[in-house]
Amino acid sequence: MILNRAVIWGALALTAVMSRCGGEDTVADHVAAYGAFFFQSYGSSGQYIHEFDGDEEFYVDLNKKETVWRLPLFSEFRSFDPQGALTNIATGKYNLGILTKDPNSTTAVNKVPEVTVFPKSPVMLGEPNTLVCAVDNIFPPVINVTWLSNGHAVTEGVFETSFLSKNDHSFLKISYLTFLPSADDVYDCRVEHWGLDGPLLKHWEPEIPAPMSELTETVVCALGLAVGLVGIVVGTVLIIQGLRPGGTSTHQGPL
């Protein structure tokens, strides 16, 4: 893919609730990005999002011109007019047009994304679960993340977040796949990005304990039998000792 990878990244507001941690050092208990947006020349695409502690609250669908809440419940407590997002995106697009005409402008440097795949919950065969594909260190924010099951593309039960912003101006995107763990199925998260030489496949399959061999079963049974026999012998000896005359001492009191 050939493209001028210039990207404009902006944030209308960045708030942090701070707490003292000795001397003048401070640490952020909570961080919210309100109005984080970007616009890029590739496909004339962009994004407008609100985040809290690295989680998406909502994003604005620039095509449908509507606010999409990460959880529908959030919309019951607050609202957001998407027109404000569209205005910021338009401003970013205009500024990008000016910057790309500057002879001193440079294209963005492609970063190599880092991919991790793991189950959301401990895996039990036959119990519904969710696979998580976390793609970190994304820049520029143009990427394809798809799922494969036994080598075939999967689209049902797939959900992914928007691009989540990071302090170093790279991005994180998370893709989810709901599935039913089976010993016969394997999965791959396929990632395509300019920072990679080619599509990257991150493999995952359920870890199933290897069946016990016949020799192991024989040894375990023999050990169990031996322990049982020892217990019987020891118990028999103790009973015999208890039945012998004088085995127990008695003290006769005065008449």
Side-chain angles (χ1 to χ4, degrees):
M1 290 176 283
I2 302 174
L3 110 110
N4 178 356
R5 299 182 179 85
V7 174
I8 283 193
W9 161 252
L12 293 181
L14 180 64
T15 61
V17 181
M18 311 296 288
S19 65
R20 290 279 178 188
C21 186
E24 297 182 355
D25 296 333
T26 58
V27 294
D29 291 332
H30 302 285
V31 176
Y34 295 141
F37 74 95
F38 66 81
F39 185 86
Q40 56 192 359
S41 58
Y42 176 72
S44 295
S45 61
Q47 175 182 283
Y48 186 98
I49 187 175
H50 275 210
E51 303 173 20
F52 184 78
D53 282 351
D55 292 324
E56 177 183 331
E57 292 185 3
F58 70 83
Y59 73 92
V60 174
D61 189 317
L62 302 180
N63 295 321
K64 296 181 179 180
K65 301 179 180 180
E66 63 182 21
T67 301
V68 181
W69 295 88
R70 175 67 178 84
L71 295 176
L73 180 64
F74 291 167
S75 63
E76 299 180 8
F77 300 97
R78 56 177 295 202
S79 61
F80 181 80
D81 184 358
Q83 189 57 47
L86 298 174
T87 300
N88 281 284
I89 291 295
T91 302
K93 181 179 181 179
Y94 174 79
N95 291 336
L96 180 61
I98 295 176
L99 291 174
T100 53
K101 294 177 182 178
D102 187 339
N104 295 322
S105 65
T106 58
T107 59
V109 177
N110 297 330
K111 291 190 174 184
V112 179
E114 302 169 358
V115 185
T116 306
V117 177
F118 56 92
K120 184 178 180 181
S121 306
V123 176
M124 299 290 291
L125 296 182
E127 295 292 332
N129 208 321
T130 301
L131 275 180
V132 180
C133 182
V135 187
D136 202 356
N137 198 45
I138 302 172
F139 195 86
V142 179
I143 198 169
N144 288 327
V145 182
T146 54
W147 287 96
L148 302 176
S149 175
N150 299 325
H152 302 287
V154 179
T155 56
E156 186 176 354
V158 175
F159 169 80
E160 68 178 27
T161 65
S162 302
F163 289 101
L164 304 176
S165 60
K166 299 180 61 182
N167 292 337
D168 61 358
H169 303 300
S170 67
F171 295 88
L172 167 70
K173 180 181 277 286
I174 304 174
S175 180
Y176 302 92
L177 171 65
T178 57
F179 75 115
L180 195 66
S182 168
D184 300 325
D185 296 329
V186 297
Y187 297 88
D188 293 281
C189 179
R190 178 187 172 103
V191 176
E192 297 173 278
H193 187 264
W194 291 313
L196 298 169
D197 295 331
L200 172 65
L201 291 179
K202 201 68 174 181
H203 186 75
W204 184 90
E205 59 183 271
E207 296 181 358
I208 303 173
M212 189 179 296
S213 66
E214 292 184 3
L215 176 60
T216 304
E217 291 181 353
T218 302
V219 171
V220 171
C221 290
L223 289 175
L225 180 60
V227 171
L229 291 174
V230 170
I232 293 174
V233 172
V234 172
T236 303
V237 171
L238 292 176
I239 291 174
I240 294 174
Q241 288 180 346
L243 294 177
R244 288 179 178 176
T248 57
S249 60
T250 58
H251 299 279
Q252 188 172 7
L255 293 175

